[in-house]
Structures are given as C-alpha cells and as structure tokens.
Amino acid sequence: MKATIRGKAYVVGDNVDTDQIIPARYLVYNPAIPDERKMFGRYALSAVPTAQAGLPQGGVPFVKENADKSEFAVIIGGKNFGCGSSREHAPLALREAGVEVVVAEFYARIFFRNAVNGGYLIPFETDERLCEKIRTGDEVEVNVPAHTLKNLTTGEAFALKPLGDILPIIEAGDVFAYARKSGMIP
Amino acid sequence: MTITEKILARAAGRDRVTPGENIWVNVDVLMTHDVCGPGTIGIFKEQFGKDAKVWDASKIVIIPDHYIFTADPHARRNIEILRAFVKEQGIKYYYDPDFLQSEGMPSPYIDPSKTHYKGVCHIALPEEGHTRPGEVLFGTDSHTCTAGAFGEFATGIGNTDAGFVMGTGKLWVKVPPTMRFVFEGELPEYIMAKDLILAVIGEIGVDGATYRAMEFAGPAIYQLGKIAAGYDHPANMEERMTLCNMVIEAGGKNGVIAPDEVTLDYVRQRTAKGHVPQEFRVVHNDPDARFCYEKVFNVTNMEPRVAKPHSPDNKATVREVQGTPIDRAYLGSCTGGKITDFIAAAKVLRGKQVRVPTFIVPATTDIQRGLDEFKLNGQTLRQVFEQAGCIIGPPSCGACLGGPLDTLGRLNEPLTCISSTNRNFPGRMGHKEARVYLASPLTVAASAVEGVIADPREHLAEG
C-alpha cells in the first residue's frame, strides 16, 4: 500500500453508476486476457454525460481518444459512487486507466467491495462535498495513513474518513492475500 | 433476529449475529453468467492454480444469458470459456445456448423446449429449483437479490468475490440491518409490484438502503398478481420477485419476503424434478426482531407510477407525466419479462395497434413457450402481440443493459423509451443521451398504444 498518492483530480457528481464507469457493450472483453484488459482503461468513464464529465466545467474526456490511460490519477465523486450493476469491470477499468484512489461521500455497496477485495483502488469516504470544492485538473495529494487530502493547486486540506474494517484487506493487497495472511486459505 | 440475520447466523455456524458485524458465511449456491463468468474463472485459476478444482461442483450454477443474440466474436468466445470450464470441473448445473453457430448472428431455434438454453439467470434460477428458503445465494450480478422472494439471502458480488467462493465455498459479509416495508389495504388490479417498488425507491432514494436488507411484508404482498388471476400460473410469486429484484436500485444488499404456502408450493414443484436438493429451511422473523426503519404503504388508492430519466428514484405518478411523447416501448428483462408481465401487457394490447416500435423480450425459454400457451379470449399472448404490431425477440437480458450494438431493441440513438426494466441511469439501454422512463408492464403497454405516456386504467376499463 502506497502512503501517498499524488496526481490530477477528475471530478464527477452524484450517482455515477457502473454503466457510466464502463458501458455494458465493452463487457464482452475478458479481464483475464491482458490485451483485452487494457480496453477497460480505454473506455473508463466514457458514458458519463458530457455536461457532467469533469466538473465544474464539463466536457472533459477522462481518457483521450485512442489512449489506454488517463492523465487523472484521483477521482472525486459525490454520493453513491458506483451504484448499479455488480460488474467488477468498473473498479478494474478505473485502475487500468491509472486511478489509484477515489474519494466520494459514500459508495454503493458492491462497487466498494469489489474495489477493496479485488485490490484495484482505495475507496475513501468523506463528509465534505469535495465534488463542489475541487476542480477537474487540480493537483491533489492523498495521504493514506493520515486519511487526508490536500489540494496542491489551492492549498486547501480536507479530512477523509478512516478506512476502518477494510484497512487490513487494503494493507494485505486484496482479499486473497488477506485470507492467506490470516491462515484461512493456503 | 430478523430473517436475514437468522439465515446469515446459520450460514456462519453461529447462534446469533448482530448488524454491522463482519462474518464468514458458507455458500449454498454460487451463480455466474457469460459476462462475469470468464473473469471469475480467470481469478479462480490465478489464485488457486490452473489445475485447481472448485470447492463443490454441485453448488455452482452457470447460466449464459447476457450476450447471446449478437454476432460479437468476443461474446461467442466467452461462451466457449464457460463450456470448457464446465467440462473441466464437472459443473452440475449449466444451461448451454447449444444453438450457437461458430460465427454471425445466431438463428433462433425453432422449439424452445428442445434447447438446454434457459435465458435470464434470475428467472431461470427459480424455474429450475435453484432458489430455496433459508439458503445463501451469491451471484455475479446485482439483480441476484431477486431470489429474496423465496425467503433466502441472495445478493450480487463481483468477480474477485466469486473467484474466492469458487475456491473456498466461503465469503465475508457485513450483516445488514433490516428495513421493513409493509403494504396494507386492498390492491387494485392495475397496481403491479413494479408500482410498489418504484414507490419505495421514490420514498427512500437510490441510496436509501445502502448496506441494508429490505424486507417486504403486509397483506397486500399476497394479493399481488391479480392482473393474471384465473391463469394456472404463479403470478403472485413472479410479482414478489419483481419487488425483490429492484432493491439494488435503492442500494439494498438483499430483499426478502417471509416464505408462506405460495412460496413452498412454487419451490416444491420445481425441486421435485429431483436433480436439485429438496431440503431447505424456512426462516421467519423472531418476535424480538429489530428493524432499523419501518414504513407502511396503503395500496388502496395507490396510483400507477414511473421513474423519470435518469434515475430510478426520479419519481412521478403516471398522471403527472401522461402525454409525454415516447419513441419506443420495451417489455422484457428479469424485472418485467415474465409471464405475469406479458399477461398484463396483453390485456392492454388486445385488439389495439402500437404507435411506436414495441419490443417483447421474454426472460426465459419457459416464458417464451408460455407466449404460445397462455391465452386471452382465445388468442395466445404471441398472437395478441403480433396483431398489435409488436416485435418479439428471443429470451435474454436483451436491451435492458444496452449490450453489444446489434442487440435487439438497444437504444442506439438518443430516443425516449418507456420500459418495464429496472434501471434508467444515463446510457443504461445504449445511447448516453437516451431518456428512459421505467414503468409497470401495464403502463408500458398503454403508452405503446397511445405513443405517449398513458394511464393503464383507461385501457383496462375498455377491455
């Protein structure tokens, strides 16, 4: 687990569901095949309606055309991030695009589990409505052990919620590493 | 303890559990399909070794259903991955689309009773006896919660969790507190389970049940399915399934309805075929069960409802939006593609013509067969739909989730559609600027006839 994650922020609003994170038409690709796995990065967040894509101004593509990686490493969302389908392709797509941390007010349950158990990214929660306080393109730094986010562009700092129950899984890497560490599986 | 707590306690080998606790449970059934199966299999092999065996080949059910009627070569390849895994592992329950050719759009089979293919997993599971009271069912699909209608704990998981279950038969879960929704009063014939669940989601919001169980109770639950009264068909069970199906649209972990004789009749008939376990344990709330929320709805004066674009909690009554122009109507999916849904739609469509392209997509091959078996005034449901000008497709998840571009009924342009499906977030049915109204099959059918959103009450009265 990295102690700090630094990069450009990409800001979206409330109820960004898994169909917006990775549209169903791309689920034909098999994440277990490396060449196909890359496609999820290419199409990550491609179905967010244009006006809500990269707040506050909108109209910012998360991944540039024909690229597999995003220039943004941190997603800032509102309420209920990752609602909708159970597709693990959603946190996987964000990770493939280069995202290591999402900060939202709270998450839909299955997305949260998938992000943690699959070891794709760290889903931080916060009481602050950061999607209205941070602008797409701001340089931010997340301090994982201290659970804080600093906006390096504006100098503002925000407290995030402690990771709590999920911290041991994040520290281990994923649910398999956690289960091995605790002796549950060989 | 509540029903959900009691099921989880038993599965964890404990006397008691408390909401908020993290526990490891033993899994009774793991279900996967063509979209998440290949990724799950990949994780299973990566973690347990390429020659590893699943924990119990008789507890895994694989049901291809999402991308069947498409020429997409990757979709076809994914079916091949499932077939190879089933063979290698000796998976006992697999429902193969055996009519697929090597490439191109598959030509539909002539007789749905002569294929192993079933169709939409959440409806195929109960039809084949895989949903049983008291059990723990995990599936790699968010609508796995549908099976809570049978008094079991059922919820959706991702590929990693499913890969973990494949190898160990166990999974950690956080015990959810239970919200209770009680339906009282006399259910009008024109109110369907879809109206009830849209009312619930409208009340609590798309995040109102996050990390919680949702229990449905009250006398009106047992009146559901009135629209199909007189048919030799378990309409009440199908409507309960619709209710539990959409708990995920409120963020719920699972939905549950206490089993009664209707549940047990349904389950016994389907498990009696003998190829699935016939033992199960009926679980009820203890007298001291604690609920974190309780809300009573009186259904007597309830109005037909819709969810407006672009969220299932964007609530309105049909009356408030009637007259809104639509380009298309869609009847299908695990939510609105069952026999009860089609009987309801046929009651409105009989002797009428649709004014917008209207798609009929049965959830399963059993339901597809039912279109030729169930009759309304001497006409089969299929005849009613064909004469009304509907387009009838083969069973699958279809355009509910968009899917590959050649999926029948997919919204490839920014159209306005009224649909009996479950989700209307941007892009769900295809184009990200398309507008989807969610409604009951009765409301969808009435709107198809008028070409604008229409109140089903006026159409039923004419019949």
Side-chain angles (χ1 to χ4, degrees), chain B residues 104-360:
Chain B
M105 180 64 80
S107 3
Y109 42 83
I110 305 297
D111 182 351
S113 62
K114 298 216 166 79
T115 171
H116 293 99
Y117 178 62
K118 282 295 298 180
V120 181
C121 57
H122 310 299
I123 311 305
L125 280 170
E127 283 178 354
E128 293 297 314
H130 298 296
T131 57
R132 298 173 291 263
E135 292 193 350
V136 172
L137 164 70
F138 288 111
T140 59
D141 192 289
S142 64
H143 291 109
T144 303
C145 54
T146 310
F150 299 90
E152 67 178 319
F153 177 84
T155 194
I157 56 174
N159 298 353
T160 295
D161 282 349
F164 194 96
V165 174
M166 268 186 182
T168 66
K170 294 181 197 304
L171 194 61
W172 73 268
V173 292
K174 189 189 274 285
V175 179
T178 298
M179 302 172 85
R180 195 157 193 259
F181 301 86
V182 180
F183 296 95
E184 291 181 346
E186 187 61 31
L187 190 81
E189 188 196 27
Y190 53 81
I191 293 295
M192 299 186 70
K194 185 64 170 284
D195 298 297
L196 264 48
I197 191 64
L198 287 177
V200 167
I201 298 165
E203 175 74 20
I204 65 173
V206 288
D207 53 16
T210 301
Y211 271 92
R212 290 171 167 184
M214 296 169 74
E215 181 184 334
F216 302 105
I221 297 287
Y222 306 97
Q223 301 165 25
L224 285 166
K226 272 186 181 173
I227 194 73
Y231 286 88
D232 180 19
H233 187 72
N236 181 249
M237 262 337 290
E238 285 194 344
E239 286 282 87
R240 293 189 206 185
M241 287 160 66
T242 303
L243 208 47
C244 290
N245 171 272
M246 282 185 68
V247 304
I248 183 65
E249 268 57 70
K253 183 172 201 151
N254 65 306
V256 73
I257 296 173
D260 63 356
E261 279 310 310
V262 177
T263 324
L264 298 183
D265 279 353
Y266 184 105
V267 173
R268 285 189 191 120
Q269 276 183 32
R270 273 122 193 117
T271 54
K273 295 176 190 171
H275 66 295
V276 292
Q278 292 167 58
E279 296 297 309
F280 50 84
R281 187 182 306 219
V282 173
V283 176
H284 290 283
N285 289 316
D286 288 332
D288 66 347
R290 302 243 300 256
F291 303 97
C292 64
Y293 171 101
E294 188 150 353
K295 167 87 185 174
V296 178
F297 290 84
N298 191 312
V299 300
T300 310
N301 298 313
M302 198 177 257
E303 301 236 347
R305 308 181 70 93
V306 299
K308 296 180 284 183
H310 295 281
S311 183
D313 65 359
N314 194 6
K315 62 182 173 183
T317 60
V318 170
R319 230 186 263 272
E320 287 168 337
V321 294
Q322 66 184 355
T324 305
I326 52 167
D327 303 307
R328 181 175 287 192
Y330 189 93
L331 287 148
S333 83
C334 51
T335 315
K338 303 181 285 302
I339 283 294
T340 309
D341 302 313
F342 292 127
I343 289 172
K347 285 194 166 178
V348 169
L349 291 168
R350 183 166 56 91
K352 310 263 180 63
Q353 285 293 308
V354 296
R355 290 202 185 163
V356 294
T358 300
F359 295 84
I360 304 278

Side-chain angles (χ1 to χ4, degrees), chain A residues 24 36 88 109 113 117 180, chain B residues 67 77 155 160-161 172:
Chain A
E36 293 184 27
E88 188 159 311
R109 188 188 68 77
R113 267 190 89 94
N117 282 353
R180 288 201 176 92
Chain B
Y67 302 159
R77 185 275 320 270
T155 194
T160 295
D161 282 349
W172 73 268

